Amino acid sequence: MLPGLVGYALRRAQVAVFQDFAREMAAMRVPVTPGEFGILVLVSRNPGLSQTALARAIGVDRSTLVPILDRLERHGLIKRHPSPTDRRSHALELGAAGMALLPLYEAAVRRHERRIQRRLRAGEGGALIAALDLLLDGATSR
Amino acid sequence: MLPGLVGYALRRAQVAVFQDFAREMAAMRVPVTPGEFGILVLVSRNPGLSQTALARAIGVDRSTLVPILDRLERHGLIKRHPSPTDRRSHALELGAAGMALLPLYEAAVRRHERRIQRRLRAGEGGALIAALDLLLDGATSR
DNA sequence: GGAAATTGTTGGCTCCCCAAACAATATCTC
DNA sequence: GAGATATTGTTTGGGGAGCCAACAATTTCC
């Protein structure tokens, strides 16, 4: 039964892809997880983002983000600035290490993507992403 | 950058599919996770399996399995019999509750699969599984 | 200006995973 | 057959990621 299930194939692929991501990151001075990489990209493209806005963007609870940002900040990848308009909230920016390392992370992710897709035919990656998005839609919407 | 990444689409789809699985299971007397469901199917098709063999089959450490099997056994879904040939090992079998509930779980999983695939065109599910298997292969093999 | 909402944080909880060590038991080697 | 070696399930300890409820500080609403 298991081999015919989309959910099963999805889970196994996800685990393998996650491990390959980690392998690629192992060479970095400060390795990051896929989730952390997403945060760095989001912050770099949306400087000044608040923690709540970021949490909503990646679909996790505000409290979940705190220890993750703590770690990223400890390594200088991001910085929590005081927001100029709201003294409760933090304006997130890339830190010095973040600005230096993000290009390396992006290159690593490109290598990783190339490797995991290497068994696919040309253009099949796009179709796969489209199908996964449809899956997400089917699973999410009532 | 993120939207073009297979790994990113994979992660988001996986989370959504997992949640839909949980939603479908919520109606059951004893809800199980996707991993637990996989264990039940494996044990039902391979009665007498040892814990080590099962751990290898699903790709987790032996020690990871212990609390999971504890829980399944507590609910009567599986039973740890003494192996007739090796007094160190356990022969895993479905318990009474397991035999009663597995058909219900299987039906629930079929409903779940139908729902998550409902945005896909007919037959696209199979292509998706094939692509995910290729992804797994690309990520795993050196 | 007082009530209500929001922000980041903390603490408590769950779940899943791994690695190392251990006693009991099997298996291998001489 | 005895001693060394390997394997089995378990325990312990640790990490990561997630949620919820509660809280002080602050902002917004009426």
Side-chain angles (χ1 to χ4, degrees):
Chain A
M1 168 162 200
L2 264 17
L5 301 177
V6 168
Y8 188 71
L10 193 58
R11 219 154 54 86
R12 302 203 336 152
Q14 216 273 331
V15 169
V17 165
F18 189 94
Q19 281 172 352
D20 185 85
F21 189 100
R23 211 177 316 146
E24 186 67 48
M25 278 297 162
M28 298 285 152
R29 194 162 60 76
V30 182
V32 295
T33 66
E36 291 169 342
F37 173 72
I39 289 174
L40 292 179
V41 171
L42 246 26
V43 168
S44 80
R45 265 69 166 183
N46 306 277
L49 204 64
S50 77
Q51 296 189 190
T52 298
L54 176 58
R56 198 139 8 124
I58 62 178
V60 300
D61 194 86
R62 298 198 313 285
S63 62
T64 302
L65 217 47
V66 174
I68 300 174
L69 294 181
D70 284 350
R71 176 177 179 279
L72 293 178
E73 190 168 34
R74 194 166 353 113
H75 290 97
L77 295 173
I78 62 149
K79 283 186 70 173
R80 291 191 246 223
H81 290 285
S83 157
T85 65
D86 186 336
R87 295 201 307 181
R88 292 169 305 179
S89 86
H90 292 156
L92 299 175
E93 315 266 357
L94 283 192
M99 288 189 261
L101 289 182
L102 185 53
L104 301 185
Y105 292 145
E106 291 180 336
V109 168
R110 274 190 290 270
R111 282 194 299 277
H112 156 73
E113 283 279 319
R114 216 175 307 128
R115 190 166 51 242
I116 65 175
Q117 293 185 45
R118 91 195 121 128
R119 301 277 187 252
L120 271 49
R121 279 169 308 187
E124 205 176 350
L128 177 54
I129 292 177
L132 289 172
D133 286 344
L134 288 177
L135 222 55
L136 189 153
D137 191 39
T140 307
S141 69
R142 278 302 77 226
Chain B
M1 168 163 199
L2 266 15
L5 301 177
V6 168
Y8 188 72
L10 194 58
R11 219 154 53 85
R12 302 202 337 151
Q14 217 272 330
V15 169
V17 165
F18 189 94
Q19 282 171 352
D20 185 86
F21 189 99
R23 213 178 316 147
E24 184 71 47
M25 277 297 163
M28 298 284 153
R29 192 161 61 75
V30 182
V32 294
T33 65
E36 291 169 341
F37 173 71
I39 289 174
L40 292 180
V41 171
L42 246 27
V43 168
S44 80
R45 265 68 166 185
N46 306 278
L49 204 64
S50 77
Q51 295 188 192
T52 298
L54 176 57
R56 198 138 10 124
I58 62 177
V60 301
D61 193 87
R62 297 195 317 286
S63 62
T64 301
L65 218 47
V66 175
I68 300 174
L69 294 180
D70 285 351
R71 176 177 179 276
L72 293 178
E73 190 168 33
R74 193 166 354 113
H75 289 96
L77 295 174
I78 62 150
K79 282 185 69 172
R80 290 192 248 225
H81 291 285
S83 156
T85 65
D86 187 336
R87 294 203 307 182
R88 292 169 304 178
S89 85
H90 291 156
L92 300 176
E93 315 267 355
L94 243 41
M99 289 190 260
L101 289 181
L102 185 53
L104 301 185
Y105 292 144
E106 291 180 336
V109 169
R110 276 190 289 271
R111 282 195 298 276
H112 156 73
E113 283 280 319
R114 217 175 304 128
R115 190 168 50 242
I116 65 176
Q117 293 184 47
R118 88 195 123 128
R119 301 279 186 251
L120 270 48
R121 278 169 310 187
E124 205 175 351
L128 177 55
I129 291 178
L132 290 172
D133 286 344
L134 288 177
L135 220 55
L136 188 152
D137 191 39
T140 306
S141 69
R142 278 302 78 230

